[in-house]
């Protein structure tokens, strides 16, 4: 169900989770792929805050529960967050009806990763990060009873499979946390190789909307964008002149140098606010009639690093964050 009501009790609060993490009841361990949900709970579970379960097709998920009632779920396969619910129970994300969870292909919905290529390009569309199991490295839950922010950190490193496509040693560290009703996502890519590398990336987030005709994306007016609707390999360069982007046909646009704050109105009087650092670009995608059975119900608003690829020297890292919160736009 799309956001029927706005449960947000105030505007997005700045994350304090990182500052507190050193003092939290954290379970820390070296990065290992644990073999079962029971092992994962033993090593990383935090009762009431962080729990591992079997998701669809038996694939492991981690469930974060905030004391305010907000929840988030992420599959370790692809480090794909597939659910983020407000305390009211309203789901904010969208998973397509054709999504499969048996690892035969990336999960189509939620927040899939595009890394190390957004695409199109030399390797498979959107890269390999969404096709691989990420390993749990840390979980935490702030002991402060009012702000018990649950958090999980997962990592992906090179393997024979990735090296064949992208000949670089790396460590990608993805932190997912709930700060009250807000979902915070941080991606850090570390160059563990002895030569620099370049990559493009995105969080390909699917948001549920009441109906696509009522959805609007605001905050992108005046920007140059690459319109990929006709041919994704040869995008047209355009300037956005609309205050609010609406959806009347196939839409696939990469807005370059977008502002830190972008909003998606979902058609119920609520909007999802995206406050990002480091990502630089915003992709807006709706497949319209190319996905007849579901396009009315979602809109992708994606934090991306695409216009200028990221370059990381050996021993250095690139970091980007996004804080997602539900805000009331009914007035
Ligand atoms: O992010 C937009 C986009 O790159 C579109 O060009 C379209 O190809 C879409 O992603 C595909 O997404 P999917 O989740 O089906 O791989």
């Amino acid at each position: 169900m799309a956001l029927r009501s706005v449960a947000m009790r105030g505007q997005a609060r700045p994350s304090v989770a990182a500052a507190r993490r050193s003092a939290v009841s954290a379970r820390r361990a070296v990065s290992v792929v644990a073999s079962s949900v029971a092992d994962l709970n033993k090593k990383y579970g935090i009762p009431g805050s962080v729990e591992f379960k079997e998701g669809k097709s038996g694939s492991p998920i981690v469930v974060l529960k905030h004391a305010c009632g907000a929840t988030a779920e992420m599959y370790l396969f692809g480090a794909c967050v597939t659910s983020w619910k407000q305390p009211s129970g309203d789901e904010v994300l969208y998973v397509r009806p054709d999504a499969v969870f048996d690892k035969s292909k990336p999960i189509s919905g939620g927040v899939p990763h595009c890394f190390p290529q957004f695409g199109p390009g030399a390797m498979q569309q959107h890269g390999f990060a969404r096709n691989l199991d990420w390993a749990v490295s840390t979980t935490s839950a702030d002991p402060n009873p009012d702000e018990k922010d649950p958090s999980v950190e997962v990592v992906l490193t090179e393997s024979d499979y990735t090296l064949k496509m992208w000949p670089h040693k790396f460590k990608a560290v993805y932190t997912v946390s709930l700060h009250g009703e807000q979902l915070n996502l941080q991606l850090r890519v570390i160059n563990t190789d002895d030569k620099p590398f370049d990559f493009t990336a995105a969080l390909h987030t699917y948001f549920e909307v009441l109906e696509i005709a009522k959805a609007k994306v605001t905050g992108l007016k005046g920007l140059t964008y690459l319109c990929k609707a006709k041919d994704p390999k040869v995008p047209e360069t355009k300037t956005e002149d609309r205050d609010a982007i609406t959806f009347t046909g196939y839409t696939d646009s990469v807005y370059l140098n977008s502002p830190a704050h972008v909003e998606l109105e979902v058609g119920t009087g609520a909007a999802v606010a995206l406050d990002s650092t480091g990502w630089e670009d915003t992709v807006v995608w709706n497949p319209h009639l190319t996905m007849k059975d579901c396009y009315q119900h979602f809109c992708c608003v994606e934090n991306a690093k695409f216009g200028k690829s990221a370059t990381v020297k050996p021993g250095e890292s690139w970091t980007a964050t996004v804080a997602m919160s539900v805000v009331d736009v009914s007035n």
Side-chain angles (χ1 to χ4, degrees):
M1 184 173 63
L3 296 161
R4 303 286 174 198
S5 60
V6 177
M8 196 74 185
R9 285 188 291 273
Q11 292 300 307
R13 292 161 288 178
S15 172
V16 292
R20 289 183 175 159
R21 205 155 288 137
S22 58
V24 301
S25 58
R27 304 273 175 96
R28 290 181 187 281
V30 287
S31 168
V32 229
V33 181
S35 55
S36 71
V37 161
D39 288 343
L40 287 165
N41 275 317
K42 206 166 149 193
K43 285 180 178 154
Y44 303 110
I46 301 176
S49 297
V50 182
E51 190 186 353
F52 293 85
K53 289 183 176 174
E54 277 193 8
K56 292 183 179 162
S57 299
S59 189
I61 59 170
V62 55
V63 181
L64 304 181
K65 290 184 185 163
H66 193 278
C68 73
T71 60
E73 289 181 9
M74 176 174 71
Y75 278 79
L76 299 185
F77 177 70
C80 187
V81 177
T82 50
S83 172
W84 165 37
K85 285 184 181 166
Q86 296 292 281
S88 58
D90 288 338
E91 180 60 71
V92 185
L93 303 179
Y94 184 78
V95 176
R96 279 171 21 200
D98 60 319
V100 296
F101 298 85
D102 61 2
K103 306 189 183 185
S104 60
K105 63 174 199 153
I107 296 169
S108 297
V111 191
H113 285 269
C114 304
F115 174 83
Q117 172 192 281
F118 176 68
M123 71 182 79
Q124 58 189 280
Q125 171 78 341
H126 296 329
F128 51 66
R130 62 180 187 162
N131 303 338
L132 292 168
D133 285 314
W134 292 53
V136 180
S137 53
T138 304
T139 56
S140 68
D142 195 309
N144 178 331
D146 297 327
E147 295 285 356
K148 206 168 178 173
D149 292 352
S151 174
V152 60
E153 181 189 277
V154 291
V155 298
L156 182 71
T157 53
E158 77 283 352
S159 62
D160 290 347
Y161 174 76
T162 69
L163 286 166
K164 271 183 206 148
M165 271 176 272
W166 195 59
H168 302 289
K169 293 183 184 170
F170 71 95
K171 183 174 179 184
V173 184
Y174 188 47
T175 309
V176 177
S177 60
L178 283 170
H179 181 56
E181 296 152 7
Q182 180 177 302
L183 179 68
N184 289 340
L185 306 174
Q186 177 180 284
L187 179 64
R188 183 164 172 238
V189 177
I190 305 160
N191 185 338
T192 54
D193 216 327
D194 55 9
K195 56 187 187 300
F197 60 58
D198 294 335
F199 64 87
T200 55
L203 297 177
H204 193 308
T205 310
Y206 287 73
F207 292 106
E208 184 164 350
V209 298
L210 187 60
E211 55 183 284
I212 194 66
K214 292 191 172 154
K216 288 179 191 168
V217 180
T218 57
L220 301 172
K221 188 178 183 182
L223 297 186
T224 299
Y225 69 101
L226 307 176
C227 175
K228 296 163 80 181
K230 282 193 189 141
D231 182 352
K233 290 188 179 150
V234 192
E236 297 171 271
T237 302
K238 297 185 176 180
T239 302
E240 183 54 75
D241 59 8
R242 294 169 290 178
D243 287 317
I245 294 154
T246 51
F247 299 87
T248 51
Y250 186 89
T251 304
D252 190 359
S253 306
V254 183
Y255 290 86
L256 302 172
N257 299 310
S258 54
H261 181 90
V262 172
E263 288 188 11
L264 166 66
E265 294 184 25
V266 300
T268 62
V272 184
L274 304 176
D275 288 283
S276 63
T277 63
W279 281 109
E280 292 180 12
D281 308 318
T282 299
V283 180
V284 179
W285 179 61
N286 179 269
H288 200 56
L289 296 176
T290 63
M291 290 188 188
K292 279 196 184 112
D293 40 338
C294 62
Y295 79 95
Q296 297 99 329
H297 307 304
F298 77 87
C299 177
C300 286
V301 181
E302 311 170 26
N303 296 102
K305 175 75 176 147
F306 177 69
K308 275 181 282 162
S309 52
T311 301
V312 187
K313 293 182 187 152
E316 296 191 355
S317 66
W318 171 89
T319 302
T321 67
V322 58
M324 301 181 179
S325 45
V326 174
V327 293
D328 186 353
V329 289
S330 59
N331 296 320

